[in-house]
């Protein structure tokens, strides 16, 4: 494989050394990065979500900004605003934190819909419009939004239209026993995640490496059989009896793209049915909508995705 592939392999190894016990999450996050899509990280507090994003941004030498979203955050706090300068008697643009390469939107469901919508144009169009002027965002503009699945009071769930603009929804689980023991041993030896000086971490990649890798991902071969298989899965989701909303055409395109990224990341230049299956849950879990009766029956969306995959025959 290419030099860019070995760079990404080093990046994955380095992330696993610093953020212990989240290897599957790290792999899926890198697939999203290669696919050029935004991510929702959902998990209880204290599972290393913010640390992971900060470390990743530092390791690729990406410009990083973090917004702590609360009910009083305004759209202009994200996008920026034109401020009148009394000395020059003209307006000057004060850019908001959205003008960055890696944007961490912490607790996105705690801010009102008007502020959530401020991210919509940026995420979809790669630009921000202020006072009628469209301002482009960096080539590697990447939004990672976090949310806590346990708190519902004082939150504003994202509407389906905005959820569909996120490529992946990744669930941050507790580390396994061995990994958690390693974390405790690290802490006993003096390592503290809160005090880690991320700026001292030695980068292992550059933003240019990531952008070049994205171009290589687009060259990964995907046969017509695999495209037909992927399309059959999309259509099966739309007809599944427990689902009120299936995968959208945007989801189908994203599925193709992330299957290529998954294949490239493991060193293949062609897509297999296993690549398509590997990205199904993170790609679909926030896009599919259960019927009310299915919710009452306690059905879980990941189990439904598995059922959809099982009912479509794998191409030979």
């Amino acid at each position: 494989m290419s030099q860019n592939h070995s760079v990404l392999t080093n990046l994955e190894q380095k992330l696993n050394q610093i953020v212990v016990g989240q290897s599957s999450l790290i792999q899926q996050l890198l697939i999203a990065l290669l696919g050029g899509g935004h991510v929702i990280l959902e998990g209880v507090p204290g599972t290393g979500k913010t640390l992971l994003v900060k470390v990743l941004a530092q390791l690729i030498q990406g410009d990083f900004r973090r917004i702590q979203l609360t009910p009083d955050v305004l759209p202009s706090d994200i996008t920026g605003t034109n401020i009148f300068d009394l000395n020059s008697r003209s307006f000057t643009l004060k850019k908001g934190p959205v003008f960055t390469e890696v944007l961490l939107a912490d607790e996105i469901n705690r801010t009102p819909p008007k502020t959530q919508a401020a991210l919509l144009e940026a995420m979809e169009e790669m630009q921000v419009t202020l006072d009628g002027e469209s301002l482009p965002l960096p080539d590697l503009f990447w939004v990672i939004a976090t949310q806590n699945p346990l708190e519902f009071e004082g939150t504003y769930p994202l509407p389906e239209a905005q959820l569909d603009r996120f490529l992946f929804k990744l669930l941050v689980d507790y580390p396994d026993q061995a990994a958690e023991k390693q974390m405790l041993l690290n802490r006993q030896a003096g390592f503290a995640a809160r005090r880690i000086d991320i700026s001292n971490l030695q980068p292992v990649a550059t933003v240019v490496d990531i952008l070049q890798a994205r171009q290589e991902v687009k060259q990964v071969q995907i046969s017509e059989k695999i495209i037909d298989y992927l399309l059959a899965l999309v259509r099966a989701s739309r007809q599944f009896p427990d689902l009120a909303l299936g995968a959208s055409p945007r989801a189908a395109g994203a599925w193709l793209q992330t299957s290529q990224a998954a294949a490239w990341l493991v060193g293949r230049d062609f897509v297999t049915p296993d690549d398509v299956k590997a990205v199904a849950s993170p790609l679909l879990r926030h896009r599919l909508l259960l019927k009310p009766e299915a919710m009452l029956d306690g059905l879980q969306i990941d189990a439904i995705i598995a059922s959809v995959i099982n009912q479509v025959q794998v191409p030979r």
Side-chain angles (χ1 to χ4, degrees), residues 136-202:
L137 291 166
D139 290 337
L140 187 99
F141 177 65
W142 193 36
V143 176
I144 300 167
T146 70
Q147 58 183 28
N148 181 344
L150 301 178
E151 292 179 356
F152 299 104
E153 198 172 324
T155 61
Y156 306 86
L158 290 167
E160 275 68 32
Q162 186 155 1
L163 283 172
D164 201 39
R165 283 170 166 77
F166 284 96
L167 184 69
F168 275 1
K169 180 180 180 181
L170 302 179
L171 305 181
V172 188
D173 208 351
Y174 294 115
D176 61 31
Q177 188 174 340
E180 200 155 9
K181 182 179 178 181
Q182 186 59 51
M183 287 164 63
L184 293 175
L185 290 171
N186 290 350
R187 175 158 288 208
Q188 189 185 22
F191 174 85
R194 276 185 303 183
R195 297 201 186 98
I196 184 173
D197 190 352
I198 289 170
S199 61
N200 285 342
L201 288 175
Q202 204 60 39

Side-chain angles (χ1 to χ4, degrees), residues 25 39-44 47 49 109 145-150 169-173 285:
L25 173 71
V39 175
I40 297 175
L41 285 182
E42 185 173 282
V44 295
T47 45
K49 300 186 293 294
N109 56 338
T146 70
Q147 58 183 28
N148 181 344
L150 301 178
K169 180 180 180 181
L170 302 179
L171 305 181
V172 188
D173 208 351
R285 62 167 63 106

Side-chain angles (χ1 to χ4, degrees), residues 17-18 20 24 46 54 57 73 89 101 161 216 262 265 280 307 313:
Q17 286 169 14
I18 298 167
V20 179
S24 174
K54 280 183 175 178
V73 172
R89 295 193 174 278
E101 288 170 330
E216 288 181 18
L265 195 58
S307 299
Q313 190 174 356

Side-chain angles (χ1 to χ4, degrees), residues 23-307:
S23 57
S24 174
L25 173 71
I26 286 167
Q27 187 177 45
Q28 290 173 333
L29 197 59
L30 290 178
I31 289 170
L33 177 61
L34 290 167
H38 311 293
V39 175
I40 297 175
L41 285 182
E42 185 173 282
V44 295
T47 45
K49 300 186 293 294
T50 303
L51 174 69
L52 174 58
V53 180
K54 280 183 175 178
V55 169
L56 178 52
Q58 174 63 22
L59 292 178
I60 65 169
Q61 302 177 54
D63 189 21
F64 174 78
R65 295 283 184 279
R66 176 176 176 265
I67 321 168
Q68 182 63 54
L69 292 164
T70 55
D72 59 346
V73 172
L74 299 171
S76 59
D77 295 331
I78 294 174
T79 58
T81 187
N82 283 306
I83 296 171
F84 187 71
D85 186 343
L86 286 169
N87 294 326
S88 64
R89 295 193 174 278
S90 62
F91 285 94
T92 54
L93 174 65
K94 186 184 179 188
K95 289 184 175 180
V98 76
F99 289 91
T100 188
E101 288 170 330
V102 181
L103 178 69
L104 177 61
D106 249 335
E107 296 188 281
I108 194 169
N109 56 338
R110 282 203 164 280
T111 202
K114 188 176 181 182
T115 307
Q116 291 173 357
L119 283 169
L120 272 177
E121 182 192 16
M123 288 167 61
E124 189 66 15
E125 308 292 338
M126 295 285 290
Q127 65 178 27
V128 170
T129 304
L130 289 173
D131 294 341
E133 186 184 356
S134 293
L135 305 164
L137 291 166
D139 290 337
L140 187 99
F141 177 65
W142 193 36
V143 176
I144 300 167
T146 70
Q147 58 183 28
N148 181 344
L150 301 178
E151 292 179 356
F152 299 104
E153 198 172 324
T155 61
Y156 306 86
L158 290 167
E160 275 68 32
Q162 186 155 1
L163 283 172
D164 201 39
R165 283 170 166 77
F166 284 96
L167 184 69
F168 275 1
K169 180 180 180 181
L170 302 179
L171 305 181
V172 188
D173 208 351
Y174 294 115
D176 61 31
Q177 188 174 340
E180 200 155 9
K181 182 179 178 181
Q182 186 59 51
M183 287 164 63
L184 293 175
L185 290 171
N186 290 350
R187 175 158 288 208
Q188 189 185 22
F191 174 85
R194 276 185 303 183
R195 297 201 186 98
I196 184 173
D197 190 352
I198 289 170
S199 61
N200 285 342
L201 288 175
Q202 204 60 39
V204 295
T206 65
V207 169
V208 172
D209 290 333
I210 303 301
L211 295 174
Q212 286 175 351
R214 283 183 181 177
Q215 294 306 313
E216 288 181 18
V217 164
K218 290 176 183 175
Q219 307 305 316
V220 172
Q221 297 297 309
I222 183 157
S223 69
E224 196 170 336
K225 272 187 183 177
I226 300 292
I227 290 175
D228 288 341
Y229 173 58
L230 194 152
L231 193 56
L233 288 168
V234 168
R235 300 191 76 81
S237 76
R238 294 171 189 166
Q239 293 155 10
F240 201 78
D242 293 315
L243 291 173
L245 185 70
S248 68
R250 183 192 277 132
W255 205 340
L256 186 91
Q257 193 178 335
T258 49
S259 300
Q260 289 173 300
W264 186 90
L265 195 58
V266 295
R268 261 188 282 103
D269 61 355
F270 60 94
V271 173
T272 68
D274 285 341
D275 298 319
V276 176
K277 292 180 191 176
V279 296
S281 287
L283 184 96
L284 296 176
R285 62 167 63 106
H286 58 298
R287 290 180 160 103
L288 305 184
L289 199 63
L290 287 171
K291 285 182 177 174
E293 54 269 32
M295 290 182 193
L296 288 172
D297 289 342
L299 293 178
Q300 298 296 314
I301 199 71
D302 278 22
I304 296 289
I305 293 167
S307 299

